[in-house]
Amino acid sequence: MGVWGAAIQGVLAVDSSIGEGIASKKQADANTALANTATADAFRRGSQEAGDIRQGGAKLAARQHVAFAASGVDASVGTAADVISSTAAGAELEALTVENNAAREAWGYKKHGLAFQTQAGLDASRRNRETAGTVLGAIGQGVSAWNSGRGGGE
C-alpha cells in the first residue's frame, strides 16, 4: 500500500469512528431521555395514587363519623374517636408506602439513565483510543511505504 493509500485508509477509519461515536451518543441521549420520562412518570403516578388513598381514607373516616353520630355515639371521644383516628392513620401509612415505592421505582429509572450516559462515555473513550491507534498505524504504514519507495530509506 502506498503513502496515499495509507493516508486514505486512516482518514476513512477516523471518519467511521466519528460516525459511530455520534450515533452512540444520540442513542445514549435518547435512552436517558426515556429513563428521565419514566422517572417523572413514576413520581406522578405515586403522587396521584397516594392522593387517591388519602381521599378515600378521609371519606371512610367521614362515613364512620356519620354512622357513630347516627347511632347516638359521640365520635369525638373513646372508641369511636379511636376507630376514626385509626382509619386516618392507616390511610396515611398506605399513602406513604405508595409514595416510597414510587420513589424507589423512580430511582431505578434514574440509575438506568445514568448508566446509559456512563456507558456512552466509556464507549467514547474506547473509540478515541482506537482512533489514535488507527491514525498511528496509518502513519506507520505511510512511513513504511515512503521508505520502500525510496529504496528502504538508504
Side-chain angles (χ1 to χ4, degrees), residues 40-67:
D41 184 60
F43 277 122
R44 183 197 56 76
R45 285 182 290 108
S47 179
Q48 177 67 45
E49 187 177 347
D52 291 346
I53 290 168
R54 286 183 178 105
Q55 187 176 35
K59 286 180 180 179
L60 178 57
R63 284 195 307 270
Q64 289 171 335
H65 189 85
V66 168

Side-chain angles (χ1 to χ4, degrees), residues 77-93:
V77 295
T79 302
D82 291 344
V83 168
I84 293 170
S85 177
S86 178
T87 297
E92 183 61 21
L93 178 61

Side-chain angles (χ1 to χ4, degrees), residues 39-145:
T39 298
D41 184 60
F43 277 122
R44 183 197 56 76
R45 285 182 290 108
S47 179
Q48 177 67 45
E49 187 177 347
D52 291 346
I53 290 168
R54 286 183 178 105
Q55 187 176 35
K59 286 180 180 179
L60 178 57
R63 284 195 307 270
Q64 289 171 335
H65 189 85
V66 168
F68 284 128
S71 299
V73 176
D74 183 0
S76 62
V77 295
T79 302
D82 291 344
V83 168
I84 293 170
S85 177
S86 178
T87 297
E92 183 61 21
L93 178 61
E94 186 176 352
L96 290 172
T97 299
V98 166
E99 288 174 337
N100 186 43
N101 289 342
R104 288 173 190 238
E105 179 183 353
W107 174 243
Y109 292 130
K110 188 70 171 174
K111 282 177 46 179
H112 284 305
L114 293 172
F116 290 131
Q117 290 302 308
T118 299
Q119 187 60 50
L122 293 172
D123 289 346
S125 294
R126 178 189 49 80
R127 274 189 306 281
N128 288 343
R129 287 189 307 276
E130 289 173 354
T131 300
T134 299
V135 168
L136 292 174
I139 290 171
Q141 288 177 351
V143 168
S144 292

Side-chain angles (χ1 to χ4, degrees), residues 10-35:
V11 168
L12 291 175
V14 168
D15 183 59
S16 174
S17 179
I18 290 170
E20 285 178 27
I22 290 169
S24 177
K25 177 71 170 127
K26 284 182 180 180
Q27 185 63 51
D29 289 345
N31 288 340
T32 299
L34 287 173

